[in-house]
Amino acid sequence: MSQKIHPYIPNMVPEIQEEMLNEIGVQSVMELYNCIPKELQFQGNMDLPKPLTEYELRRYIEAILQKNINTKEYVSFLGAGCWQHFIPAVCDEINQRSEFLTAYAGEPYEDHGRFQALFEYQSLLAELVDMDVVNVPTFDWGQAAATSIRMAARITKRKKVLLAKTVAPERTKIITNYGSPDLEFEFIDFQLESGLMNLEDLIVKLSEDVAALYFENPSYLGFIESQGETIAKLLKEKGVLMIVGVDPISLGILAPPSHYGADIVCGDLQPLGMHMNFSGGQAGFITTRDEVEFVQEYPSRLFGIIPTIQKGEYGFGDVAYDRTSFALREKGKESVGTQTALWGITAGVYLALMGPDGMSDVGQAIRQNSQYAVKQLANIKGIKGSRFRSPFFKEFIVDFNETDMTVKDINQKLLQYKIFGGKDLSIEFPELGQCALYCVTEIHTKEDIDRLIDSLTEIIQK
Amino acid sequence: MEIKKRNFKHNVDFHQAKWNEPIIFELHQKGEKGVEVPPVDEEITQLVGDGISDLPLEMKRKSKAALPEIGQARVLRHYLRLSQETLGSDFNVEIGQGTCTMKYIPKINEFLVRDPKLTELHPLQDESTVQGILEIFYKLDLCMREISGMDCFTFQPSGGTQALYTMASIVRKYHEVRGEGDQRDEIITTIFSHPSQAATAAVKGYKIITLHPDEDGFPDIEKLKAVVSERTAGFVVANPEDTGIFNGKINEFTKVVHDVGGLCYYDQANANGLLGITRAKEAGFDMCFFNLHKTFAAPHMCGGPATGALGVIEDLKEFLPTAIVDYKDDKYYLNDELPHSIGKIRAFHGVAQTVLRAYAWIRALGADGLKEVAKTAVLNNNYMYSKVRKIKGASAPYIKGSRLEQVRYSWEGLTKDTGVTTEDIQRRMTDFGLHYWTSHHPYIVKQPFTLEPTESYSKQDLDEYISALEQISKEAYENPMIVKEAPQQSTIHQLDEQDFLDHPEKWCITWRAYQKKVIHKQKSMSK
């Protein structure tokens, strides 16, 4: 019986194997494993399902995926760190190109395009945040914030870190794990009516031991923190660095944190051209001023533009490579490895397509649609459209405390209307009672929002 | 069927695409537009206004971001040209990126991950609406358990570095829970391990102890015995290491560490030669991770997103980052009841597309297929090992027996004879349309290069790669300037590095920095 040759493994062809074994000077492939003692060799057979041909595989996987209900089938108002936005087709076209999809660690000479695309991503994002240095992306926003904080601790040589209590709890978990055991964390209260940072609490906790304050703007809870300048002034007096996490899609209309005193700005690229992918679209960015004490503290790769020996030709390479763990192992700055470079290229494509007007338009559309949703929600008896009185961007808290229903129940009922309701906040923010975080973006139509309003009205009035 | 073949050795006529493509900002044409934003319903505008006027003054952006304005076709063309100036592994015989397992990326998998039933899922949807993707997470976990012998996997870490960091975090939490957090402050690793092993443990606050190899290239067990103590928190190692040498005494190493109370974690980023042959469990490890973008055929994507699939023994399950995917009463669900969880490592659940790709790859191969992958990768590697050592100036330091999936070679002889270095060869390989990587730092092996052929390449592919190396060796001995002055056939010429990349006054990490530092300076000098 002839041996089956798998399409992915050309050298399973017996004649070829024979030739190769002859070259090596052994009788069988298993002889090459003689370096593994018997007691370490796996004696059993892996209990795995039988192999599938490409046709079978496609039917099988597609059948499993059919069990999902996606946000095209139901209207979704979920955000909380992963958001549904419009994705221009060119973004998908570029990030599925085989060249980019399958490239990895090539050199400036064979991967010139990859280097340039990532340098351009850095440059485009730099304009959006109005800062001069941007890294090749890290894993996600949580990692970007965690690294920004460690960078600040190294720059100031201090160990204490203040976090706004309104930072996304999931990111707080990433940050505190990444900071332990070296750093010490303390939390700053917020005002229950507005969500804004409690400046009195900040003043009490600020000291010359503090390396940095980290807060998010727009915050995880959607409101816009408008006290940035005051906060920056307070921090500066104590030599504390200000790190602000930002949703980049807000920056077409909102002032970038660098304008109100941020030293380090970080956030997630997912809104800029990445599908949600059940959270597979996240990618973190870090940006700073072009000052040596900041640049030298990045663990990430930083691609720089340089001349080649040919006049007028640009090339690209790693800036200050010797700071990285690639060069110095444990003595490098934190650690660098495979992160989310393709999403950086995709975010660059998105920004290039959108241009200044597109970014401004999308910010405006998000504001208008979300304001409309809040206005309509406020008309439903028992619901408070936006729990906080501060202005918000994209996300807002819907207060269900007066409905005598839990968010969980309401969300379950909304499923019957083919709607994914907002994220239940009752566990993360028990002080808010039965509240949910809703997200409305440029992709929501008036009909989508009206459907939510009508459905909620029916659910609550029943 | 007999087909007469041309006498093709390596691609001497290759020329990388060269478009002289401007920096994207240079394409700016005021008024052009790449895409239109979805419009806002007029009734909404009437009801809420412009959405901007009522923003607090201090929070309004004063002027629009200085992004370029470019029509859609030009943006597309620009990025397609940059893609052509990138040599992905779909295009070249990517043997030269040792330690990274560059293998064939099945196109069916790429087709599947673009299904809107995956791409348009939100991670916080009700569990009843994401049963399909949870099933794939869970079933991949079951496969991974078989492959490794571990008891539970998480797919949250989105890369090998993050998986190593997660394992270091689990080591710390484990000892803290046992009241030994302060006492155990050392992690032991080896010099031929990936730099991230040492670096991630250091981020977790550990002192790093690095073992060097004995004369055969094995991590030195006597040195290990000398450094373990009640301060040992953990031991992290790859096997085989970057040299491709399998340490047959690995279970003795793990025993030495366990005997003093430390945990052992296994870097299986490159497990390609081991599938179905030997497992983490039998070697005595408490945890291991696999890079799904290496052994399990997910693409590397210019450096991510990726997945470091992390498996633990039953006793360590409660330390994993939340949530893990479980199955009960005919339903898949997100289990966050892990009493000693280290918390979160990454947002939500990880890179679902890569989880799907790995699962699809395993399903395409089955148990026997996975073993064939390993065997063929080892066959291919040893074939190259035999051939490369015959090239003038090349050698493979350490033990002479078989190597598993890769080998770290040396051009030390060639450099001594000709002055041509491994970096010169790297540039010259570009001229043949082939990628070649030197090696991780530090260069313990002099003038190193690390080749890993994997199972994906045919004998003809291997011969092509070897032939290019032979050609360069010949050039180095006969006319070294060809190699020294390479590349000749690339998109660009040699970088004029000098101190541009390392000097704060000269480095330009963004186009705006370049405008300020270089263009502005040139203009003011010419005035």
Side-chain angles (χ1 to χ4, degrees), chain A residues 115-131:
Chain A
F115 277 80
Q116 181 166 337
L118 283 164
F119 172 79
E120 290 179 350
Y121 149 71
Q122 293 169 185
S123 303
L124 291 159
L125 192 72
E127 295 301 342
L128 193 65
V129 293
D130 207 5
M131 284 190 127

Side-chain angles (χ1 to χ4, degrees), chain A residues 23 33 40 42 47 60 67-68 71 82 103 109-110 120 122 128 130 132 140 177 253 275 290 368, chain B residues 49 51 61 78 117 120 122 135 146 204 273 277-278 302 347 359 386 390 435 490 509-510 512 516-517:
Chain A
E23 165 64 31
Y33 283 114
L40 287 179
F42 176 52
D47 183 14
Y60 169 73
K67 297 175 190 173
N68 297 325
T71 54
C82 181
Y109 308 99
E110 82 238 27
E120 290 179 350
Q122 293 169 185
L128 193 65
D130 207 5
D132 285 351
D140 63 359
N177 179 48
I253 56 163
H275 293 271
D290 188 2
Q368 289 178 298
Chain B
R61 187 163 190 138
H78 173 74
K117 283 283 195 178
E120 308 311 317
H122 191 284
E135 180 176 338
E146 286 296 312
K204 208 62 217 171
I277 305 284
T278 178
C302 292
Y359 182 63
S386 173
K390 292 175 187 162
H435 170 62
S490 166
I509 300 163
T510 53
R512 59 195 263 146
K516 287 179 194 167
K517 286 176 164 174

Side-chain angles (χ1 to χ4, degrees), chain B residues 8 75 155 243 265 289 293 318 352 362 416 452 461 485 487:
Chain B
F8 178 85
V75 173
F155 303 108
T243 51
Y265 59 107
F289 88 91
H293 52 292
E318 61 186 18
I362 291 170
K416 275 187 187 151
E452 183 185 5
D461 296 331
E485 288 172 359

Side-chain angles (χ1 to χ4, degrees), chain B residues 499-500 503-508 511-527:
Chain B
D499 55 358
F500 281 97
H503 197 295
E505 281 170 28
K506 291 185 177 178
W507 66 42
C508 299
W511 184 244
R512 59 195 263 146
Y514 183 76
Q515 299 301 307
K516 287 179 194 167
K517 286 176 164 174
V518 179
I519 303 294
H520 183 70
K521 212 169 171 184
Q522 281 169 356
K523 275 186 190 159
S524 61
M525 275 168 72
S526 66
K527 268 179 194 166

